[in-house]
Amino acid sequence: MSEWLNRVEAEQGGIIKMIKNNDLILVSDMVILREFMEQDWADVHQYASQEIVCQYQIWGPNTEEDSKEFIHDVLEEAKLTPRERYVFAIIYQGKLIGAVEIVMRDFTNNVGEIGYIVNPDYWGKGIATESAKLVITFGFETLNLHRIYATCDPRNIGSSKVLEKIGMTKEGILRENLLMKDGVWRDSLLYSVLKQEWSK
């Protein structure tokens, strides 16, 4: 696999979608997004076990078992037909430093949702922005989606900036739509982008 990835890296220069042994790989000049493998749990655990990473999430910080269960769930969901969830490992300079996903939320109306998480050691480098762009392009061009949306905690300024930077429109706020670990209800900002907007 590593030899093949080196070949892919040499072909960068834009968004490339490749399929190797039925595994999707999305590539840009900055990152490689590949599907997860069982042994990736340790790299996932490096960031998912940190409080700062999951402070605005309903999960975490992860135990080792939590991180292994995440990988197990992702691998099992990838086998489903029709497939609803595509979760990619973010590879930056040869290292797994995060995850980005797109989930089919409405097959009838072709609606998907994206989410992302990056190891805090790599924050501020544009990695979440680049990874989100790749999965949105994948969503529109490959999954034939019409609308893609994302939500984030209003306190999560970094995530809001990513969603605005990639061209999503803030639609409004979902009031108390998530129950957090501490038992407090959380609002969510709602962003979206339409296929015809992305292709401009």
Side-chain angles (χ1 to χ4, degrees):
M1 175 66 110
S2 60
E3 177 182 330
W4 187 78
L5 284 178
N6 288 336
R7 183 178 69 79
V8 173
E9 287 175 339
E11 295 176 359
Q12 290 180 21
I15 295 172
I16 301 171
K17 183 189 76 171
M18 294 192 161
I19 300 177
K20 179 70 171 181
N21 297 329
N22 294 321
D23 289 333
L24 289 164
I25 296 182
L26 310 179
V27 182
S28 76
D29 290 331
M30 179 183 288
V31 297
I32 293 173
L33 305 184
R34 65 159 173 79
E35 299 208 62
F36 276 98
M37 299 179 283
E38 192 170 346
Q39 62 267 31
D40 289 332
W41 76 265
D43 288 326
V44 168
H45 192 64
Q46 282 187 7
Y47 60 80
S49 60
Q50 299 185 48
E51 177 65 41
I52 192 172
V53 170
C54 52
Q55 62 181 323
Y56 302 122
Q57 306 298 329
I58 59 174
W59 55 268
N62 277 11
T63 63
E64 287 191 356
E65 286 307 310
D66 291 332
S67 296
K68 290 176 181 178
E69 185 176 351
F70 165 77
I71 294 294
H72 175 268
D73 290 346
V74 164
L75 295 178
E76 288 301 306
E77 289 168 341
K79 300 174 185 176
L80 298 178
T81 304
R83 186 170 176 180
E84 296 180 8
R85 187 181 184 200
Y86 297 81
V87 187
F88 297 96
I90 302 173
I91 310 299
Y92 176 73
Q93 296 182 347
K95 182 173 175 56
L96 195 163
I97 54 90
V100 61
E101 67 178 285
I102 186 163
V103 182
M104 301 291 292
R105 293 299 188 196
D106 184 339
F107 282 96
T108 301
N109 295 297
N110 298 327
V111 176
E113 178 183 9
I114 65 162
Y116 43 81
I117 185 167
V118 174
N119 188 315
D121 291 344
Y122 297 87
W123 287 359
K125 298 180 181 294
I127 294 167
T129 301
E130 186 74 3
S131 301
K133 285 180 180 177
L134 278 171
V135 294
I136 289 175
T137 299
F138 171 72
F140 286 138
E141 294 185 355
T142 302
L143 302 181
N144 197 33
L145 295 177
H146 172 70
R147 178 176 183 269
I148 297 174
Y149 71 90
T151 63
C152 72
D153 190 305
R155 299 167 294 178
N156 193 345
I157 305 302
S159 189
S160 295
K161 287 182 177 177
V162 168
L163 299 174
E164 291 167 4
K165 195 179 298 183
I166 62 179
M168 283 189 151
T169 298
K170 184 193 287 188
E171 293 188 345
I173 188 165
L174 302 172
R175 299 187 303 153
E176 296 190 2
N177 70 313
L178 282 179
L179 183 61
M180 302 301 284
K181 300 172 291 237
D182 58 7
V184 175
W185 287 97
R186 188 201 95 175
D187 294 341
S188 295
L189 297 178
L190 176 63
Y191 290 82
S192 72
V193 62
L194 304 178
K195 185 171 186 177
Q196 64 265 30
E197 296 168 338
W198 193 252
S199 59
K200 285 182 180 178

